[in-house]
Amino acid sequence: MSDQVIGAVRDLLPALRERAQQAEDRRRLPEESIKDLDRAGLFRLLQPARFGGHEADPLTFYTAVRLVASACGSTGWVGSVVGVHPWQLALFPEQAQQDVWGPDPDTRISSSYAPTGKARLVAGGYQLSGRWSFSSGCDHASWVFLGGIVTDESGNPVDFCTFLLPREDYAIEDVWDTVGLRGTGSNDILVRDAFVPAHRALSFADTSKCVCPGQEVNPGPLYRLPFGAVFSYTITTPIIGMATGAYEAHVAYMTERVRVSFKGEKSKEDPYAKVRIAEAASEIDAAWLQLKDNMEQLVRHAVAGERIPLSLRLRVRRDQVRGTGRCIQAIDRLFENSGGRALRVGTPIQRFWRDAHAGRVHAINDPERALNMFGTGEFGLPVQDAML
């Protein structure tokens, strides 16, 4: 089944490339693209089998995301972020899963995890209010995950949770007008005094320990992986895909390009252009190979029922931010090697360049924070972070 999904995704790439400019112009993905990804099975890859999902190896999911992002950065970003949410919902109590998938197993969820709102403990659950930004693909979802610091009656923080809300409990404000990832429709979510029952909250303390209530009904190894690893690669993988798409577009363009300023020299005969292509290819390969190796090691531990070592978690975050950095460097190298015509609106290289730099500023891609954590661990000092 996983091979069928990958094959179906490959078949979509020409259409996704053709719609890339349309996504930018609309500032959200065309409905046809969401339906295509749905039919291909992308959104079911990480969904539990008990709800009709594929419960696939995470590398299958990341491979599919990389392919989609190589055709359209915005589509790859939304496909990745929305596509990972079935995995997280599977960690919630069973009732939350039934709330969402019981009526329709194809239901989609968007998210915004930064704890910018207010969550207060009340009888039976939580009272939630506030504004959350950057909820990618929210117009194509009917539920949302929102992060929040929980306070008690005295205003003291007692937990950090992800809250699950249905569409009738929040409003979407159209504020997304950016230079990159324009097609993601990453608008704001507004909540005014919504009640969230206790079963629709998941503590980050539980996800960090890889011990969550949903594992009672979803005991497979897929759901014993760390949130910090699965989600961080959900952000880096589309950027690897964008770099892949930029590379493919650049090589195709340079194969035909003639440099008038250099006496009609063909770019494919320029030795310096070849060096830059080799450098970019190496950076992209390194980012992907480290992702694959790290995820394979995580899965081996999960299959064996072993605790995920802190050293591996730290390496995942180290290589995740370095993978993003490598791909940004590769795209920059290719872009500066493409000449002035690459600046034209509508060309794929400039779109990939803008989209990748937009993805780079996501909080999970903060290199100093992740690298500092790794160095701290190497010295044997205690490391605590919700995204490990």
Side-chain angles (χ1 to χ4, degrees):
M1 182 58 71
S2 295
D3 289 342
Q4 293 178 15
V5 174
I6 296 298
V9 168
R10 287 188 189 277
D11 291 342
L12 291 178
L13 301 187
L16 297 180
R17 288 191 189 97
E18 289 181 5
R19 296 182 196 136
Q21 188 61 49
Q22 184 183 7
E24 285 218 322
D25 294 342
R26 292 184 177 183
R27 296 181 297 111
R28 57 178 287 180
L29 297 189
E31 198 62 41
E32 300 95 319
S33 295
I34 291 291
K35 290 179 179 178
D36 283 345
L37 295 178
D38 218 348
R39 284 190 290 264
L42 176 69
F43 298 126
R44 284 185 177 248
L45 281 173
L46 300 184
Q47 187 174 18
R50 58 194 292 269
F51 284 105
H54 301 311
E55 206 164 316
D57 185 292
L59 272 176
T60 301
F61 173 69
Y62 295 126
T63 299
V65 166
R66 182 186 182 185
L67 285 169
V68 174
S70 74
C72 172
S74 288
T75 308
W77 186 272
V78 172
S80 191
V81 172
V82 175
V84 80
H85 292 152
W87 175 84
Q88 188 181 8
L89 180 57
L91 306 181
F92 274 70
E94 181 181 14
Q95 184 58 56
Q97 300 173 51
Q98 291 290 348
D99 290 349
V100 176
W101 289 324
D104 182 3
D106 289 323
T107 300
R108 291 183 294 272
I109 307 169
S110 68
S111 66
S112 181
Y113 294 104
T116 54
K118 295 181 179 180
R120 181 169 51 88
L121 276 172
V122 295
Y126 309 84
Q127 212 72 30
L128 191 67
S129 295
R131 175 188 292 268
W132 287 260
S133 297
F134 313 125
S135 188
S136 300
C138 58
D139 290 310
H140 306 287
S142 51
W143 289 74
V144 69
F145 285 137
L146 300 174
I149 302 293
V150 181
T151 59
D152 59 19
E153 294 179 354
S154 301
N156 300 311
V158 295
D159 204 353
F160 177 21
C161 292
T162 298
F163 299 98
L164 173 66
L165 283 76
R167 184 65 183 82
E168 57 266 24
D169 284 354
Y170 62 91
I172 298 172
E173 185 171 335
D174 185 353
V175 297
W176 189 247
D177 191 4
T178 57
V179 297
L181 293 177
R182 285 182 58 81
T184 61
S186 303
N187 290 307
D188 284 6
I189 303 294
L190 279 66
V191 177
R192 181 175 294 178
D193 206 28
F195 173 71
V196 182
H199 69 271
R200 292 186 192 162
L202 183 66
S203 173
F204 271 95
D206 291 342
T207 59
S208 294
K209 291 182 290 188
C210 297
V211 178
C212 298
Q215 292 166 343
E216 294 180 10
V217 291
N218 300 311
L222 175 62
Y223 306 109
R224 295 198 296 270
L225 298 173
F227 178 87
V230 174
F231 181 76
S232 63
Y233 273 146
T234 295
I235 298 302
T236 290
T237 301
I239 298 175
I240 297 176
M242 295 170 211
T244 303
Y247 179 84
E248 293 169 348
H250 179 75
V251 171
Y253 170 60
M254 295 293 277
T255 300
E256 304 297 329
R257 183 187 178 201
V258 175
R259 307 191 70 180
V260 178
S261 299
F262 293 92
K263 300 180 180 180
E265 177 186 72
K266 294 181 179 179
S267 292
K268 65 182 179 181
E269 296 173 355
D270 179 357
Y272 306 110
K274 296 173 184 177
V275 169
R276 292 166 185 150
I277 285 173
E279 290 174 341
S282 179
E283 296 293 348
I284 297 167
D285 285 348
W288 180 245
L289 291 172
Q290 284 191 313
L291 182 157
K292 286 183 63 179
D293 182 66
N294 287 335
M295 193 53 60
E296 286 169 353
Q297 291 191 49
L298 286 167
V299 170
R300 280 199 294 270
H301 283 291
V303 169
E306 299 168 349
R307 184 177 180 180
I308 309 293
L310 177 61
S311 59
L312 178 55
R313 295 182 184 219
L314 289 168
R315 188 164 79 242
V316 166
R317 290 300 317 282
R318 178 200 71 186
D319 295 342
Q320 174 256 316
V321 296
R322 289 291 296 123
T324 293
R326 286 190 174 99
C327 288
I328 293 294
Q329 291 171 4
I331 294 175
D332 284 349
R333 198 78 168 122
L334 297 171
F335 186 69
E336 67 188 26
N337 194 43
S338 294
R341 295 186 186 277
L343 297 172
R344 289 180 175 174
V345 173
T347 60
I349 187 71
Q350 56 82 30
R351 184 183 301 114
F352 284 124
W353 182 76
R354 288 186 289 106
D355 287 347
H357 277 273
R360 162 64 185 83
V361 301
H362 190 285
I364 204 70
N365 283 324
D366 183 341
E368 288 80 13
R369 182 177 297 275
L371 298 179
N372 176 65
M373 287 194 300
F374 179 83
T376 299
E378 288 293 281
F379 283 124
L381 300 173
V383 183
Q384 290 185 337
D385 192 282
M387 293 308 296
L388 277 180

